[in-house]
Short mmCIF file of all heavy atoms in Angstrom, two decimals:
data_model
loop_
_atom_site.label_atom_id
_atom_site.label_comp_id
_atom_site.label_asym_id
_atom_site.label_seq_id
_atom_site.Cartn_x
_atom_site.Cartn_y
_atom_site.Cartn_z
N ILE A 1501 -10.85 -6.23 -5.04
CA ILE A 1501 -11.41 -5.87 -3.73
C ILE A 1501 -10.37 -5.15 -2.88
O ILE A 1501 -9.19 -5.53 -2.87
CB ILE A 1501 -11.92 -7.11 -2.98
CG1 ILE A 1501 -12.81 -7.97 -3.89
CG2 ILE A 1501 -12.67 -6.71 -1.72
CD1 ILE A 1501 -14.02 -7.26 -4.45
N THR A 1502 -10.80 -4.13 -2.18
CA THR A 1502 -9.93 -3.40 -1.26
C THR A 1502 -10.60 -3.31 0.10
O THR A 1502 -11.81 -3.57 0.23
CB THR A 1502 -9.66 -1.97 -1.76
OG1 THR A 1502 -10.92 -1.26 -1.82
CG2 THR A 1502 -9.02 -1.98 -3.15
N ASN A 1503 -9.83 -2.90 1.09
CA ASN A 1503 -10.41 -2.72 2.42
C ASN A 1503 -11.47 -1.61 2.40
O ASN A 1503 -12.51 -1.72 3.05
CB ASN A 1503 -9.31 -2.37 3.42
CG ASN A 1503 -9.81 -2.40 4.84
OD1 ASN A 1503 -10.33 -3.40 5.32
ND2 ASN A 1503 -9.67 -1.28 5.55
N LYS A 1504 -11.21 -0.57 1.61
CA LYS A 1504 -12.17 0.53 1.48
C LYS A 1504 -13.49 0.02 0.91
O LYS A 1504 -14.58 0.38 1.41
CB LYS A 1504 -11.59 1.62 0.58
CG LYS A 1504 -12.50 2.83 0.41
CD LYS A 1504 -11.85 3.87 -0.49
CE LYS A 1504 -12.79 5.07 -0.68
NZ LYS A 1504 -12.17 6.09 -1.59
N PHE A 1505 -13.41 -0.82 -0.12
CA PHE A 1505 -14.63 -1.38 -0.72
C PHE A 1505 -15.38 -2.24 0.30
O PHE A 1505 -16.61 -2.17 0.40
CB PHE A 1505 -14.28 -2.21 -1.96
CG PHE A 1505 -15.45 -2.92 -2.57
CD1 PHE A 1505 -16.35 -2.24 -3.37
CD2 PHE A 1505 -15.66 -4.28 -2.35
CE1 PHE A 1505 -17.44 -2.89 -3.94
CE2 PHE A 1505 -16.74 -4.94 -2.91
CZ PHE A 1505 -17.64 -4.24 -3.71
N ALA A 1506 -14.63 -3.04 1.04
CA ALA A 1506 -15.25 -3.91 2.06
C ALA A 1506 -16.04 -3.08 3.06
O ALA A 1506 -17.17 -3.43 3.43
CB ALA A 1506 -14.18 -4.73 2.77
N LEU A 1507 -15.48 -1.98 3.50
CA LEU A 1507 -16.17 -1.10 4.45
C LEU A 1507 -17.39 -0.46 3.80
O LEU A 1507 -18.45 -0.33 4.44
CB LEU A 1507 -15.21 -0.02 4.95
CG LEU A 1507 -14.04 -0.50 5.82
CD1 LEU A 1507 -13.08 0.66 6.10
CD2 LEU A 1507 -14.54 -1.10 7.13
N GLN A 1508 -17.26 -0.07 2.54
CA GLN A 1508 -18.37 0.58 1.83
C GLN A 1508 -19.60 -0.31 1.72
O GLN A 1508 -20.73 0.18 1.83
CB GLN A 1508 -17.91 1.01 0.43
CG GLN A 1508 -17.01 2.24 0.40
CD GLN A 1508 -16.52 2.56 -0.99
OE1 GLN A 1508 -16.59 1.72 -1.90
NE2 GLN A 1508 -16.01 3.76 -1.18
N ILE A 1509 -19.37 -1.60 1.49
CA ILE A 1509 -20.52 -2.50 1.30
C ILE A 1509 -21.02 -3.10 2.61
O ILE A 1509 -22.01 -3.84 2.62
CB ILE A 1509 -20.19 -3.63 0.30
CG1 ILE A 1509 -19.09 -4.56 0.85
CG2 ILE A 1509 -19.82 -3.05 -1.06
CD1 ILE A 1509 -18.86 -5.79 -0.02
N GLY A 1510 -20.33 -2.80 3.70
CA GLY A 1510 -20.79 -3.29 5.00
C GLY A 1510 -20.25 -4.63 5.42
O GLY A 1510 -20.81 -5.29 6.30
N ALA A 1511 -19.14 -5.06 4.79
CA ALA A 1511 -18.51 -6.32 5.22
C ALA A 1511 -17.77 -6.09 6.53
O ALA A 1511 -17.47 -4.96 6.91
CB ALA A 1511 -17.54 -6.80 4.14
N ASP A 1512 -17.48 -7.19 7.22
CA ASP A 1512 -16.78 -7.09 8.50
C ASP A 1512 -15.27 -7.08 8.35
O ASP A 1512 -14.56 -6.57 9.22
CB ASP A 1512 -17.18 -8.26 9.41
CG ASP A 1512 -18.64 -8.21 9.79
OD1 ASP A 1512 -19.03 -7.27 10.51
OD2 ASP A 1512 -19.41 -9.09 9.34
N ALA A 1513 -14.77 -7.66 7.27
CA ALA A 1513 -13.32 -7.75 7.12
C ALA A 1513 -12.94 -7.98 5.66
O ALA A 1513 -13.74 -8.46 4.85
CB ALA A 1513 -12.77 -8.88 7.98
N TYR A 1514 -11.69 -7.62 5.38
CA TYR A 1514 -11.10 -7.83 4.05
C TYR A 1514 -9.79 -8.58 4.23
O TYR A 1514 -9.03 -8.31 5.16
CB TYR A 1514 -10.84 -6.48 3.38
CG TYR A 1514 -9.79 -6.50 2.30
CD1 TYR A 1514 -10.07 -7.03 1.04
CD2 TYR A 1514 -8.51 -5.98 2.53
CE1 TYR A 1514 -9.10 -7.05 0.05
CE2 TYR A 1514 -7.54 -5.98 1.54
CZ TYR A 1514 -7.83 -6.51 0.30
OH TYR A 1514 -6.88 -6.54 -0.68
N SER A 1515 -9.55 -9.53 3.33
CA SER A 1515 -8.28 -10.26 3.35
C SER A 1515 -7.60 -10.10 2.00
O SER A 1515 -8.22 -10.33 0.96
CB SER A 1515 -8.53 -11.74 3.64
OG SER A 1515 -7.34 -12.48 3.49
N GLU A 1516 -6.33 -9.73 2.05
CA GLU A 1516 -5.59 -9.49 0.81
C GLU A 1516 -5.20 -10.79 0.12
O GLU A 1516 -5.12 -10.86 -1.10
CB GLU A 1516 -4.34 -8.66 1.08
CG GLU A 1516 -3.59 -8.25 -0.16
CD GLU A 1516 -2.43 -7.32 0.15
OE1 GLU A 1516 -2.23 -6.96 1.32
OE2 GLU A 1516 -1.73 -6.94 -0.81
#
Side-chain angles (χ1 to χ4, degrees):
I1501 311 301
T1502 62
N1503 189 57
K1504 182 180 179 181
F1505 175 78
L1507 293 173
Q1508 285 176 343
I1509 65 173
D1512 295 294
Y1514 157 76
S1515 172
E1516 185 175 358

